[in-house]
Amino acid sequence: MKIELSVNGERKEADVWPGESLLFTLREKLGLPGSKNACEQGECGSCSVLLDEKLVCSCLVLTAQAQGHEIVTVEGIAEDDRLHRVQEAFVQTGAVQCGFCTPGLIVATVDLLAHRPEPSDDEIREALSGNLCRCTGYQKIFDAVRLAARA
Amino acid sequence: MARLIRTEKEVEGRYTEQWIVVDEDVLEQWPAGPLETVGRPVPRADGGQRARGEARYTADIKLPGMLHAAILRSPHAKARVRRIDTGRARRAPGVRAVLGPETGPLTDEPPYEGAPVAAVAAETSEQARTAVSLIEVEWERLEPLLDPEEAVRRNELIDEPNREERGEVERGLAESDAVVEAEYRTQTVLHNSMETHQAICEWDGDDRLTVYISTQFIWGVREEVAKRFGLPEDHVRVVCRFMGGGFGSKNGPGDYTYVAAELARATGRPVKCALTRREENLDSGNRNSTIQRLRVGARSDGTLTFLDGEFVNATGWDGWLASTGGPMRLLYACENVRTVEYGAKLNTPPMAAFRAPGFVEGTFGLECLLDELAAKLEIDPLELRRRNHSTHDAVDERPFSSKQLLECYRRAEPHWERRDEVRARSDATWKRGVGLASQVWYGGGGPPSYAWVRIGGDGRAAVITGMQDIGTGSATAMAQIAAEELGLPVDRIEVALGDSARGPYATISAGSSTIPSMGPAVRAAAADAARQLIEIAAQRYDREERVLSLKNGQIVSSDGGSWPLEEITGLLESGQILGKGSRGPNPTGMRVLTFGVQVAEVAVDVETGEVVVEKIVAIHDVGRVINPLGASSQVEGGIIQGLGHTLSEERLLDPSTGGNLTQTLDAYKIPTIADVPEIVTDLVDVPDEHLTNLGSKGLGEPPIIPTAAAIANAIRDATGADVRSLPITREEMLRALREASRQPAREEVGA
């Protein structure tokens, strides 16, 4: 089936099968592998994207459900050549190690700061506890979120 | 000059003797402390690519015409294939090849749940998985051996038991004023790298193979793949540019690589074989569980009289005997030490190295035992450790190349002294306490490792080497080292790595060895290039070489003149300056080890058994620190993995079938950001004056080693309960509290 959706501000079309996940479509058909596939069942947050400004695991959304909706992936966060302040903060604080979970965390942090410009530590814990990271120990992710909030 | 030496090579605590050709390490070490770039925090060079989602991991690589593989894995812990029918799978949509158990590494006698039995290549991963579900197998189920103690009784072992003894334990026992004996258990834990194990194989004709793989060792993959397919090693190219975590589980090619290569050969197309999360947690390695029966004796002044340990590692069907007894042999001065380690061969998935294999488990037992002894002797646990500090390696009498453990203890004092204050914050429900544990590990790296440095007409430099950056930031550290030697800003250094066809041999990124092995080679290569720059500049500016140096992108003369580097390199036009460097030998007759201590503060809810870790202070000695930002990341990451190991992570097997009950990330609980305590990192940062031109050791593994024991000891401090089994779930905590309350009232520990 043909699906039309907006991805990072561009109108896209994809030919998908009914059970196809949005993550699969983004990665395999639309040339956007920034969203990562690490569990395929909504447990790790590596595939987080914004769907009509709502944070979702793209592995749990059927592409068919996204018909006519607006998607923002990690590739759509930066402003042209310049990193988004959240991305810049992740790099500067050392919150990026292997980086496989980073795209999901960047999108989740952008979403958090959109709703809570100055989040408390508990709000950071709550908002990002669905994004698993196996390398950093999370401490520098706290640093990054706090830095981005101040920027 | 190249020198042929017979040397000891160590990876993950496993030693082999081998001949090796090394170049002399002629460079003097830099002075201690932060330099222009080395020793200062530098954000990683490729951070922006990763944060934009532009870094291309193996998982993201798509080759033209690429097929996707899926594997049929054994649903039984021990079984035989009576009959297999792949007909329906072959006819399924998109399927291009099906391999049955007659093709290795597939098997018709799977010895553990998850062992690969058959494989499919199809146009999409969905089609491949669907086809796998259409393979019909008639199984003969066999009785699996799952109990490690039973395996030891039956002599079903992975290897000969490892028995080591110095002195005489019986003599030590006779001299003891106090003896403590206890059994400790650690669980099986799973690596759960965010990028699952995967490889893409592409043949060029029938005798050249390119492997894109998520790996910690491209050269090891090259060697093993070449051997398996009977190819010259130079006909195998291995590529790993970005890598999504490994933690020891990605040191070799793995079955999935061979499956991809076989399917690629059968179809004439590139094939990707990527494990799903469930497969990852079934069959990509694990930290094996252990049972440790330990005894320690001491005189009333705290001097250890003997240490005695029997260790049973539940190794699984394959793997090696991790040295769970290593900390007991290495950490303290003690004349009488006896260890025996068994590796139980079981119908469970093979273990793999996992961040300080053996030492994480053995340190939990040993360091809890020491605290139980301290309580019995009524000696302060920190003081007990100081009294048994070792000045040389008691195993073979070799001096340490450097050891700053006493300095670590000194820096731990202010955190340790908070005990009264922390305990005073307890109430009827929440008990608070402080605990500590020491750490010893390898991490000195070694030869061979090579690097090239190339300087072009634009005055920029490239470090070229066949190493991989597995996410630790080692590439950025290499850029810093080259920048320091060349007197260039770090942003004028490019690091090209991750491709066996585009750089010389480099170390495995395991055993905390990347920085101590590669760093000196990169510095040597940069120094070789710098020497050539100085020679050219001396001729161009009519100065003696000895008055010239490189600084801030300039050639500087001690008589006051300076010229931008590009002025000299610009003369090259298309020419290049090529520097070459290699890792020199380790100091002969010395033992190179890393040390540290961690102090944990915990709160225990004595009604529910909930344990909350509130703070961990990590003080480690790893020689010179290249990048404090990357180093503290390593420490924090290690501690949080240690926290998971201590409190929440456990692979559960059905005890009757051997089936893995924790294959997903909601059943297998790795820590989240909500679990993170305050972490304080303090690195001693004194170069090891005997080790290479850098004096740096590795830091990947040390931080995870003492965490579990520090937490368990803090729990004892808070509650008086001895937790001796990991993970410390609420159930285990409540059990330990019940047991403590049944014991004759022990004095309030340390109060």
Side-chain angles (χ1 to χ4, degrees):
Chain A
M1 55 202 276
K2 283 257 193 299
I3 297 292
E4 266 187 36
L5 63 173
S6 155
V7 182
N8 300 332
E10 284 179 39
R11 216 178 61 85
K12 299 274 184 186
E13 263 187 33
D15 193 6
V16 308
W17 67 285
E20 188 166 308
S21 73
L22 178 59
L23 175 63
F24 187 89
T25 307
L26 291 169
R27 287 179 55 82
E28 303 296 328
K29 297 187 175 163
L30 300 179
L32 295 167
S35 309
K36 298 299 178 221
N37 172 9
C39 79
E40 286 184 275
Q41 50 186 37
E43 291 165 354
C44 75
S46 305
C47 64
S48 301
V49 301
L50 299 175
L51 172 68
D52 294 342
E53 299 181 3
K54 259 187 90 159
L55 184 68
V56 296
C57 284
S58 61
C59 72
L60 294 183
V61 176
L62 297 178
T63 309
Q65 291 175 293
Q67 161 76 33
H69 293 276
E70 283 188 21
I71 314 294
V72 177
T73 72
V74 70
E75 289 97 336
I77 299 285
E79 293 119 20
D80 302 321
D81 286 351
R82 280 193 29 241
L83 293 178
H84 185 277
R85 67 191 161 103
V86 169
Q87 291 167 319
E88 187 63 38
F90 268 68
V91 175
Q92 289 305 320
T93 56
V96 181
Q97 278 205 36
C98 89
F100 209 75
C101 69
T102 305
L105 273 158
I106 298 274
V107 174
T109 303
V110 167
D111 178 65
L112 166 65
L113 296 182
H115 298 101
R116 289 273 171 193
E118 289 171 30
S120 68
D121 280 2
D122 280 348
E123 284 168 334
I124 297 172
R125 285 175 193 267
E126 176 70 27
L128 301 184
S129 61
N131 290 79
L132 298 180
C133 167
R134 196 58 160 161
C135 298
T136 61
Y138 300 109
Q139 180 130 324
K140 291 192 166 30
I141 294 171
F142 272 113
D143 297 345
V145 177
R146 293 186 197 117
L147 178 63
R150 284 200 307 270
Chain B
M1 187 190 101
R3 193 154 67 91
L4 182 65
I5 57 168
R6 183 96 177 140
T7 187
E8 203 174 46
K9 186 155 174 73
E10 175 270 322
V11 178
E12 303 282 24
R14 288 188 288 168
Y15 284 88
T16 48
E17 278 265 318
Q18 62 185 57
W19 287 105
I20 202 162
V21 178
V22 290
D23 285 319
E24 292 293 352
D25 195 343
V26 294
L27 297 169
E28 293 278 306
Q29 276 187 16
W30 287 313
L35 308 168
E36 288 291 323
T37 306
V38 164
R40 298 190 186 277
V42 174
R44 64 184 56 206
D46 52 19
Q49 264 173 296
R50 294 179 199 252
R52 283 173 181 268
E54 288 171 356
R56 290 291 172 264
Y57 299 80
T58 307
D60 303 324
I61 293 172
K62 282 206 299 194
L63 300 179
M66 186 175 83
L67 299 171
H68 297 264
I71 296 176
L72 173 70
R73 294 178 178 276
S74 172
H76 306 301
K78 187 176 182 186
R80 200 173 288 142
V81 175
R82 280 216 189 102
R83 191 185 60 81
I84 183 164
D85 182 353
T86 57
R88 285 177 69 205
R90 283 177 200 283
R91 293 187 296 274
V95 171
R96 299 292 170 256
V98 178
L99 299 177
E102 65 285 351
T103 307
L106 307 166
T107 174
D108 59 3
E109 290 197 32
Y112 58 89
E113 187 201 23
V117 173
V120 172
E123 297 290 343
T124 70
S125 52
E126 287 300 330
Q127 288 172 330
R129 289 184 206 176
T130 303
V132 160
S133 72
L134 298 174
I135 298 174
E136 291 162 30
V137 185
E138 191 186 312
W139 295 101
E140 179 187 353
R141 288 180 64 171
L142 305 167
E143 189 63 36
L145 177 57
L146 301 171
D147 178 359
E149 302 264 46
E150 177 63 22
V152 172
R153 276 194 292 275
R154 290 195 211 165
N155 207 31
E156 294 283 349
L157 301 176
I158 204 78
D159 204 345
E160 289 297 306
N162 180 34
R163 297 175 199 278
E164 297 192 33
E165 183 164 8
R166 65 173 185 260
E168 277 177 52
V169 163
E170 303 313 320
R171 193 179 66 213
L173 180 62
E175 292 169 3
S176 302
D177 296 320
V179 173
V180 175
E181 184 168 358
E183 181 179 295
Y184 299 90
R185 287 175 182 251
T186 64
Q187 78 282 37
T188 304
V189 294
L190 303 170
H191 302 72
N192 268 308
S193 310
M194 295 314 292
E195 183 185 32
T196 61
H197 286 63
Q198 45 200 298
I200 302 158
C201 288
E202 181 177 38
W203 289 90
D204 176 4
D206 59 5
D207 68 344
R208 286 177 188 271
L209 181 61
T210 301
V211 182
Y212 302 86
I213 180 171
S214 182
T215 186
Q216 296 173 235
F217 193 22
I218 61 178
W219 297 90
V221 170
R222 189 178 94 127
E223 183 185 335
E224 289 188 46
V225 167
K227 200 179 292 170
R228 183 170 189 104
F229 293 102
L231 303 171
E233 286 188 25
D234 272 337
H235 285 202
V236 179
R237 177 182 168 209
V238 180
V239 183
C240 177
R241 179 64 190 89
F242 288 96
M243 200 272 203
F247 314 110
S249 68
K250 293 178 178 170
N251 291 347
D255 291 345
Y256 54 96
T257 305
Y258 300 136
V259 165
E262 294 288 0
L263 286 166
R265 185 147 70 174
T267 58
R269 289 167 64 175
V271 174
K272 175 185 269 191
C273 187
L275 268 56
T276 63
R277 180 59 51 187
R278 283 175 179 274
E279 289 178 293
E280 185 78 5
N281 281 337
L282 268 176
D283 189 22
S284 70
N286 57 70
R287 184 192 296 285
N288 57 241
S289 66
T290 70
I291 301 163
Q292 309 174 31
R293 283 179 277 271
L294 312 183
R295 279 197 307 166
V296 61
R299 295 202 189 89
S300 54
D301 67 357
T303 310
L304 297 182
T305 48
F306 79 95
L307 284 161
D308 188 16
E310 183 187 71
F311 304 87
V312 176
N313 289 7
T315 307
W317 185 252
D318 201 357
W320 44 277
L321 188 52
S323 59
T324 317
M328 185 171 267
R329 294 190 291 268
L330 280 175
L331 188 47
Y332 295 110
C334 180
E335 286 175 13
N336 308 301
V337 180
R338 178 170 64 194
T339 55
V340 54
E341 297 156 308
Y342 300 94
K345 186 171 173 113
L346 302 166
N347 294 113
T348 58
M351 60 75 79
F354 189 162
R355 211 165 188 166
F359 275 56
V360 166
E361 303 86 316
T363 299
F364 170 68
L366 176 68
E367 287 294 89
C368 287
L369 185 76
L370 258 277
D371 263 41
E372 294 191 37
L373 176 69
K376 192 159 186 174
L377 292 169
E378 296 183 11
I379 292 179
D380 177 287
L382 180 55
E383 184 54 30
L384 180 67
R385 286 168 173 84
R386 274 204 182 103
R387 286 185 195 173
N388 293 287
H389 180 262
S390 64
T391 53
H392 60 277
D393 178 359
V395 176
D396 58 13
E397 303 292 322
R398 276 186 290 178
F400 298 121
S401 59
S402 72
K403 181 174 183 179
Q404 304 289 340
L405 184 57
L406 288 174
E407 172 63 13
C408 294
Y409 289 155
R410 194 187 66 75
R411 294 186 188 198
E413 262 168 29
H415 308 287
W416 183 236
E417 280 164 6
R418 283 167 45 84
R419 276 185 302 164
D420 292 339
E421 183 193 319
V422 170
R423 277 195 217 129
R425 284 192 282 113
S426 300
D427 57 33
T429 309
W430 285 96
K431 304 295 180 194
R432 290 184 158 77
V434 180
L436 62 79
S438 304
Q439 163 263 315
V440 63
W441 175 247
Y442 308 96
S449 272
Y450 308 94
W452 300 328
V453 165
R454 183 181 69 204
I455 299 171
D458 58 0
R460 293 179 61 86
V463 175
I464 303 163
T465 173
M467 74 172 224
Q468 52 285 311
D469 183 338
I470 63 173
T472 57
S474 44
T476 305
M478 296 310 138
Q480 288 178 263
I481 291 165
E484 191 71 43
E485 191 64 36
L486 293 167
L488 282 175
V490 73
D491 60 8
R492 276 168 68 175
I493 311 283
E494 194 72 25
V495 179
L497 47 71
D499 188 337
S500 68
R502 296 182 187 168
Y505 179 93
T507 178
I508 185 171
S509 291
S512 303
S513 64
T514 311
I515 299 246
S517 297
M518 278 311 304
V522 168
R523 187 178 166 213
D528 187 21
R531 180 186 52 76
Q532 298 174 53
L533 283 171
I534 298 280
E535 284 171 3
I536 300 167
Q539 296 165 52
R540 178 75 180 85
Y541 302 120
D542 199 17
R543 297 287 196 291
E544 281 185 61
E545 285 169 25
R546 61 178 178 80
V547 304
L548 297 176
S549 61
L550 302 171
K551 206 170 178 193
N552 298 328
Q554 308 270 321
I555 291 165
V556 181
S557 171
S558 59
D559 65 16
S562 76
W563 307 268
L565 187 65
E566 302 90 288
E567 236 184 68
I568 276 294
T569 57
L571 302 174
L572 296 167
E573 294 195 356
S574 300
Q576 297 176 333
I577 288 173
L578 301 175
K580 147 175 136 30
S582 65
R583 168 62 153 84
N586 277 350
T588 40
M590 288 185 160
R591 178 77 111 155
V592 185
L593 297 172
T594 55
F595 302 92
V597 61
Q598 290 182 5
V599 184
E601 297 182 12
V602 305
V604 181
D605 181 335
V606 292
E607 289 172 2
T608 66
E610 183 178 359
V611 176
V612 177
V613 177
E614 299 188 324
K615 183 177 179 183
I616 292 187
V617 179
I619 304 162
H620 292 273
D621 162 32
V622 293
R624 180 197 301 279
V625 174
I626 306 295
N627 183 355
L629 186 65
S632 59
S633 284
Q634 281 295 305
V635 173
E636 291 157 15
I639 286 171
I640 294 307
Q641 276 187 355
L643 187 80
H645 182 229
T646 310
L647 297 180
S648 64
E649 295 182 35
E650 181 170 24
R651 184 201 65 185
L652 290 169
L653 293 187
D654 182 318
S656 58
T657 66
N660 181 336
L661 304 171
T662 48
Q663 297 177 31
T664 62
L665 287 167
D666 96 310
Y668 185 88
K669 294 197 189 65
I670 74 173
T672 75
I673 197 168
D675 303 310
V676 175
E678 180 190 356
I679 299 174
V680 177
T681 300
D682 183 2
L683 299 171
V684 175
D685 196 10
V686 172
D688 179 335
E689 61 172 342
H690 297 291
L691 183 66
T692 75
N693 58 41
L694 283 183
S696 291
K697 302 174 189 177
L699 179 60
E701 286 153 308
I704 194 178
I705 293 173
T707 308
I711 292 170
N713 289 337
I715 289 171
R716 181 179 307 96
D717 187 53
T719 66
D722 297 317
V723 284
R724 297 187 178 131
S725 182
L726 297 181
I728 309 166
T729 57
R730 294 180 189 207
E731 196 180 9
E732 167 62 16
M733 190 63 242
L734 291 173
R735 188 205 57 73
L737 286 166
R738 273 197 309 275
E739 196 173 289
S741 70
R742 276 202 299 270
Q743 279 174 359
R746 185 156 91 187
E747 290 199 23
E748 193 82 353
V749 179

PDB file of all heavy atoms in Angstrom, chain A residues 4 7 14 24 38 46 49 58-59 70 72 84 86 94 98 113 136 140 149:
ATOM      1  N   GLU A   4       1.582   8.215   2.344  1.00  0.00           N
ATOM      2  CA  GLU A   4       2.184   9.544   2.245  1.00  0.00           C
ATOM      3  C   GLU A   4       2.368  10.100   3.637  1.00  0.00           C
ATOM      4  O   GLU A   4       1.454  10.038   4.456  1.00  0.00           O
ATOM      5  CB  GLU A   4       1.229  10.495   1.509  1.00  0.00           C
ATOM      6  CG  GLU A   4       1.487  10.587   0.041  1.00  0.00           C
ATOM      7  CD  GLU A   4       0.608  11.673  -0.593  1.00  0.00           C
ATOM      8  OE1 GLU A   4       0.384  12.710   0.066  1.00  0.00           O
ATOM      9  OE2 GLU A   4       0.139  11.433  -1.710  1.00  0.00           O
ATOM     10  N   VAL A   7       8.230  13.798   6.482  1.00  0.00           N
ATOM     11  CA  VAL A   7       9.375  13.437   7.313  1.00  0.00           C
ATOM     12  C   VAL A   7      10.372  14.584   7.284  1.00  0.00           C
ATOM     13  O   VAL A   7      10.842  14.978   6.209  1.00  0.00           O
ATOM     14  CB  VAL A   7      10.046  12.139   6.820  1.00  0.00           C
ATOM     15  CG1 VAL A   7      11.200  11.768   7.740  1.00  0.00           C
ATOM     16  CG2 VAL A   7       9.037  11.006   6.749  1.00  0.00           C
ATOM     17  N   ALA A  14       5.847   6.155   0.455  1.00  0.00           N
ATOM     18  CA  ALA A  14       6.494   4.845   0.589  1.00  0.00           C
ATOM     19  C   ALA A  14       5.490   3.757   0.281  1.00  0.00           C
ATOM     20  O   ALA A  14       4.299   3.880   0.587  1.00  0.00           O
ATOM     21  CB  ALA A  14       7.039   4.659   1.998  1.00  0.00           C
ATOM     22  N   PHE A  24      11.116   0.613  10.260  1.00  0.00           N
ATOM     23  CA  PHE A  24      11.587  -0.104   9.082  1.00  0.00           C
ATOM     24  C   PHE A  24      11.503   0.794   7.842  1.00  0.00           C
ATOM     25  O   PHE A  24      12.446   0.877   7.051  1.00  0.00           O
ATOM     26  CB  PHE A  24      10.767  -1.383   8.880  1.00  0.00           C
ATOM     27  CG  PHE A  24      11.286  -2.285   7.793  1.00  0.00           C
ATOM     28  CD1 PHE A  24      12.228  -3.264   8.079  1.00  0.00           C
ATOM     29  CD2 PHE A  24      10.850  -2.132   6.481  1.00  0.00           C
ATOM     30  CE1 PHE A  24      12.722  -4.084   7.060  1.00  0.00           C
ATOM     31  CE2 PHE A  24      11.343  -2.947   5.464  1.00  0.00           C
ATOM     32  CZ  PHE A  24      12.277  -3.926   5.755  1.00  0.00           C
ATOM     33  N   ALA A  38      17.243  -1.481  17.927  1.00  0.00           N
ATOM     34  CA  ALA A  38      18.008  -2.254  18.918  1.00  0.00           C
ATOM     35  C   ALA A  38      17.173  -3.291  19.632  1.00  0.00           C
ATOM     36  O   ALA A  38      17.728  -4.202  20.233  1.00  0.00           O
ATOM     37  CB  ALA A  38      18.659  -1.320  19.933  1.00  0.00           C
ATOM     38  N   SER A  46      15.764   3.465  21.318  1.00  0.00           N
ATOM     39  CA  SER A  46      16.773   3.869  20.323  1.00  0.00           C
ATOM     40  C   SER A  46      16.145   4.385  19.031  1.00  0.00           C
ATOM     41  O   SER A  46      16.816   5.038  18.241  1.00  0.00           O
ATOM     42  CB  SER A  46      17.680   2.686  19.976  1.00  0.00           C
ATOM     43  OG  SER A  46      18.261   2.149  21.131  1.00  0.00           O
ATOM     44  N   VAL A  49      11.214   8.857  17.704  1.00  0.00           N
ATOM     45  CA  VAL A  49      10.972   9.954  16.757  1.00  0.00           C
ATOM     46  C   VAL A  49       9.784  10.763  17.285  1.00  0.00           C
ATOM     47  O   VAL A  49       9.088  10.344  18.215  1.00  0.00           O
ATOM     48  CB  VAL A  49      10.652   9.449  15.326  1.00  0.00           C
ATOM     49  CG1 VAL A  49      11.796   8.606  14.769  1.00  0.00           C
ATOM     50  CG2 VAL A  49       9.337   8.674  15.285  1.00  0.00           C
ATOM     51  N   SER A  58       9.406   4.441  17.125  1.00  0.00           N
ATOM     52  CA  SER A  58       8.942   4.206  15.751  1.00  0.00           C
ATOM     53  C   SER A  58       8.820   2.719  15.437  1.00  0.00           C
ATOM     54  O   SER A  58       8.154   2.348  14.479  1.00  0.00           O
ATOM     55  CB  SER A  58       9.859   4.910  14.743  1.00  0.00           C
ATOM     56  OG  SER A  58      11.177   4.436  14.826  1.00  0.00           O
ATOM     57  N   CYS A  59       9.418   1.870  16.269  1.00  0.00           N
ATOM     58  CA  CYS A  59       9.255   0.431  16.031  1.00  0.00           C
ATOM     59  C   CYS A  59       7.864  -0.049  16.425  1.00  0.00           C
ATOM     60  O   CYS A  59       7.458  -1.142  16.042  1.00  0.00           O
ATOM     61  CB  CYS A  59      10.327  -0.370  16.777  1.00  0.00           C
ATOM     62  SG  CYS A  59      10.116  -0.432  18.572  1.00  0.00           S
ATOM     63  N   GLU A  70       3.017  14.060  10.581  1.00  0.00           N
ATOM     64  CA  GLU A  70       4.348  14.672  10.483  1.00  0.00           C
ATOM     65  C   GLU A  70       5.328  13.966  11.396  1.00  0.00           C
ATOM     66  O   GLU A  70       5.099  13.846  12.599  1.00  0.00           O
ATOM     67  CB  GLU A  70       4.275  16.148  10.884  1.00  0.00           C
ATOM     68  CG  GLU A  70       3.681  16.993   9.795  1.00  0.00           C
ATOM     69  CD  GLU A  70       3.775  18.479  10.099  1.00  0.00           C
ATOM     70  OE1 GLU A  70       4.626  18.869  10.925  1.00  0.00           O
ATOM     71  OE2 GLU A  70       2.991  19.221   9.487  1.00  0.00           O
ATOM     72  N   VAL A  72       9.337  13.717  12.778  1.00  0.00           N
ATOM     73  CA  VAL A  72      10.673  14.306  12.869  1.00  0.00           C
ATOM     74  C   VAL A  72      11.611  13.252  13.429  1.00  0.00           C
ATOM     75  O   VAL A  72      11.361  12.682  14.491  1.00  0.00           O
ATOM     76  CB  VAL A  72      10.696  15.560  13.774  1.00  0.00           C
ATOM     77  CG1 VAL A  72      12.132  16.095  13.911  1.00  0.00           C
ATOM     78  CG2 VAL A  72       9.783  16.643  13.202  1.00  0.00           C
ATOM     79  N   HIS A  84      21.898  21.188  16.614  1.00  0.00           N
ATOM     80  CA  HIS A  84      20.887  21.670  17.554  1.00  0.00           C
ATOM     81  C   HIS A  84      21.539  21.774  18.936  1.00  0.00           C
ATOM     82  O   HIS A  84      22.478  21.035  19.233  1.00  0.00           O
ATOM     83  CB  HIS A  84      19.737  20.659  17.577  1.00  0.00           C
ATOM     84  CG  HIS A  84      18.565  21.070  18.408  1.00  0.00           C
ATOM     85  ND1 HIS A  84      18.530  20.876  19.771  1.00  0.00           N
ATOM     86  CD2 HIS A  84      17.375  21.628  18.082  1.00  0.00           C
ATOM     87  CE1 HIS A  84      17.367  21.303  20.255  1.00  0.00           C
ATOM     88  NE2 HIS A  84      16.646  21.773  19.236  1.00  0.00           N
ATOM     89  N   VAL A  86      20.736  20.712  21.711  1.00  0.00           N
ATOM     90  CA  VAL A  86      20.734  19.435  22.431  1.00  0.00           C
ATOM     91  C   VAL A  86      21.865  18.546  21.910  1.00  0.00           C
ATOM     92  O   VAL A  86      22.604  17.929  22.689  1.00  0.00           O
ATOM     93  CB  VAL A  86      19.371  18.720  22.289  1.00  0.00           C
ATOM     94  CG1 VAL A  86      19.457  17.281  22.814  1.00  0.00           C
ATOM     95  CG2 VAL A  86      18.297  19.500  23.037  1.00  0.00           C
ATOM     96  N   GLY A  94      30.314  14.991  26.664  1.00  0.00           N
ATOM     97  CA  GLY A  94      30.768  13.603  26.617  1.00  0.00           C
ATOM     98  C   GLY A  94      29.635  12.609  26.824  1.00  0.00           C
ATOM     99  O   GLY A  94      29.870  11.476  27.238  1.00  0.00           O
ATOM    100  N   CYS A  98      29.340   5.102  22.494  1.00  0.00           N
ATOM    101  CA  CYS A  98      29.249   4.380  21.215  1.00  0.00           C
ATOM    102  C   CYS A  98      28.257   5.076  20.297  1.00  0.00           C
ATOM    103  O   CYS A  98      28.372   5.017  19.088  1.00  0.00           O
ATOM    104  CB  CYS A  98      28.911   2.906  21.419  1.00  0.00           C
ATOM    105  SG  CYS A  98      27.161   2.479  21.466  1.00  0.00           S
ATOM    106  N   LEU A 113      12.557  19.073  26.554  1.00  0.00           N
ATOM    107  CA  LEU A 113      12.786  20.512  26.712  1.00  0.00           C
ATOM    108  C   LEU A 113      11.675  21.339  26.062  1.00  0.00           C
ATOM    109  O   LEU A 113      11.445  22.480  26.463  1.00  0.00           O
ATOM    110  CB  LEU A 113      14.160  20.905  26.160  1.00  0.00           C
ATOM    111  CG  LEU A 113      15.363  20.282  26.902  1.00  0.00           C
ATOM    112  CD1 LEU A 113      16.679  20.766  26.297  1.00  0.00           C
ATOM    113  CD2 LEU A 113      15.322  20.575  28.395  1.00  0.00           C
ATOM    114  N   THR A 136      27.373   4.952  28.724  1.00  0.00           N
ATOM    115  CA  THR A 136      27.794   6.191  29.390  1.00  0.00           C
ATOM    116  C   THR A 136      27.629   6.159  30.898  1.00  0.00           C
ATOM    117  O   THR A 136      28.277   6.913  31.599  1.00  0.00           O
ATOM    118  CB  THR A 136      26.985   7.402  28.919  1.00  0.00           C
ATOM    119  OG1 THR A 136      25.601   7.179  29.248  1.00  0.00           O
ATOM    120  CG2 THR A 136      27.130   7.632  27.440  1.00  0.00           C
ATOM    121  N   LYS A 140      26.600  11.729  32.305  1.00  0.00           N
ATOM    122  CA  LYS A 140      26.884  12.804  31.360  1.00  0.00           C
ATOM    123  C   LYS A 140      25.647  13.157  30.533  1.00  0.00           C
ATOM    124  O   LYS A 140      25.585  14.229  29.948  1.00  0.00           O
ATOM    125  CB  LYS A 140      28.075  12.423  30.485  1.00  0.00           C
ATOM    126  CG  LYS A 140      29.371  12.396  31.305  1.00  0.00           C
ATOM    127  CD  LYS A 140      30.589  12.318  30.474  1.00  0.00           C
ATOM    128  CE  LYS A 140      31.863  12.634  31.222  1.00  0.00           C
ATOM    129  NZ  LYS A 140      31.929  12.315  32.650  1.00  0.00           N
ATOM    130  N   ALA A 149      19.419  22.820  28.492  1.00  0.00           N
ATOM    131  CA  ALA A 149      18.325  23.623  29.056  1.00  0.00           C
ATOM    132  C   ALA A 149      18.797  25.058  29.301  1.00  0.00           C
ATOM    133  O   ALA A 149      18.013  26.001  29.143  1.00  0.00           O
ATOM    134  CB  ALA A 149      17.832  22.998  30.363  1.00  0.00           C
TER     135      ALA A 149
END
